Amino acid sequence: MPLVVWPAALAMWGPGDMSSKHAHHAMHLMLCRTGTLSIRVDSAKKDTRAAGVLVGPDVPHALDARGTEVVLLFVEPESHDGLRLRASLTESVRLFDEAARDALLASLPREGPIPHAAIGPWMESTLEALAGPTTTSAPRMHPRVRKLLRHLRSDPAPEDTSLEALAEVAGLSSGRLMHAFTESTGVPLRPYLLWLRLQRAAGAIASGRTAGEAAHAAGFSDSAHLTRTFRRMFGTTPSFLQRRSQFVQAQAKAPDAS
């Protein structure tokens, strides 16, 4: 399962699925590798077909991408990248036709496995291509924040992520840390910590661990807590990620079986 640990983004790919009407806080880019999907937004009475869609934060929508493979990108809307994406939206969603989809996916293979190493550059180029006008400049990393990030990304994950404990690690006051962290990463500390925990959980699930094991590894109280948070942020569940991971693993092994 292609997963890239960015401060506030998560990418994955696999078979398309159908979702009932829902909303989630993360911005959501879905691109069909081939074919099209249908989407219904807000109170619209009819579905619209497109080769891809970018959905704004907390926008009620329903999707049907069955019968095709999709590439998904979730972005924290309060992050630097999220603000740039939000600036590109003139409505609650942005639709992409086949030509626009092909341009966005040009650096990735059109079918079969997607190399993990290709996902990071694709995310970067896609966010740049879709970014709207914004006066927000690229953040400059504070050295104490860089130190804290190394601590947060260490393995195993630190158990105490209270503001007081993190301020002590960084060597800054609590108030100064919150300000410096947002300036340095483009996302406030608490949303970043949530994204990091979700990314840890997603990585654990993709590696074959159960939802309960993933929840424990990422600092959630139990699998139910992880599932609720996944659904709120991404509009899906850890079990959905497990199915995608199994699909990707089966695709990767297919050439060996022939």
Side-chain angles (χ1 to χ4, degrees), residues 42 55 65 69 73 83 128 144 171 173 202 204 208 211 218 220-221 232 252:
D42 294 332
V55 183
E69 290 183 32
L73 178 61
L83 291 173
E128 185 65 30
R144 299 294 181 89
S173 68
F220 292 92
S221 57
R232 176 171 61 86

Side-chain angles (χ1 to χ4, degrees), residues 33-188:
R33 297 178 73 187
T34 59
T36 60
L37 56 81
S38 68
I39 180 169
R40 182 175 298 185
V41 180
D42 294 332
S43 58
K45 296 182 179 180
K46 294 198 308 180
D47 293 350
T48 301
R49 296 208 69 86
V53 61
L54 173 64
V55 183
D58 305 306
V59 174
H61 62 284
L63 290 165
D64 188 352
R66 292 174 296 178
T68 184
E69 290 183 32
V70 297
V71 180
L72 297 163
L73 178 61
F74 293 96
V75 181
E76 162 60 50
E78 277 77 41
S79 68
H80 178 70
D81 288 323
L83 291 173
R84 296 171 70 207
L85 279 183
R86 290 169 71 178
S88 74
L89 289 174
T90 57
E91 299 182 8
S92 57
V93 301
R94 179 178 175 183
L95 301 176
F96 302 94
D97 59 20
E98 285 87 347
R101 180 271 316 280
D102 291 347
L104 289 173
L105 294 180
S107 64
L108 300 179
R110 293 303 303 270
E111 58 184 22
I114 298 177
H116 183 277
I119 295 295
W122 172 79
M123 291 169 70
E124 186 172 358
S125 63
T126 298
L127 289 169
E128 185 65 30
L130 296 180
T134 175
T135 57
T136 305
S137 59
R140 182 178 179 181
M141 185 66 65
H142 191 292
R144 299 294 181 89
V145 173
R146 184 179 291 110
K147 176 185 177 182
L148 179 60
L149 289 175
R150 288 197 298 268
H151 172 73
L152 291 173
R153 294 169 179 167
S154 61
D155 190 19
E159 293 185 5
D160 190 351
T161 57
S162 64
L163 180 58
E164 294 75 14
L166 298 182
E168 183 175 350
V169 170
L172 296 170
S173 68
S174 297
R176 178 58 185 153
L177 171 60
M178 294 178 69
H179 180 74
F181 194 94
T182 302
E183 280 195 335
S184 296
T185 65
V187 62

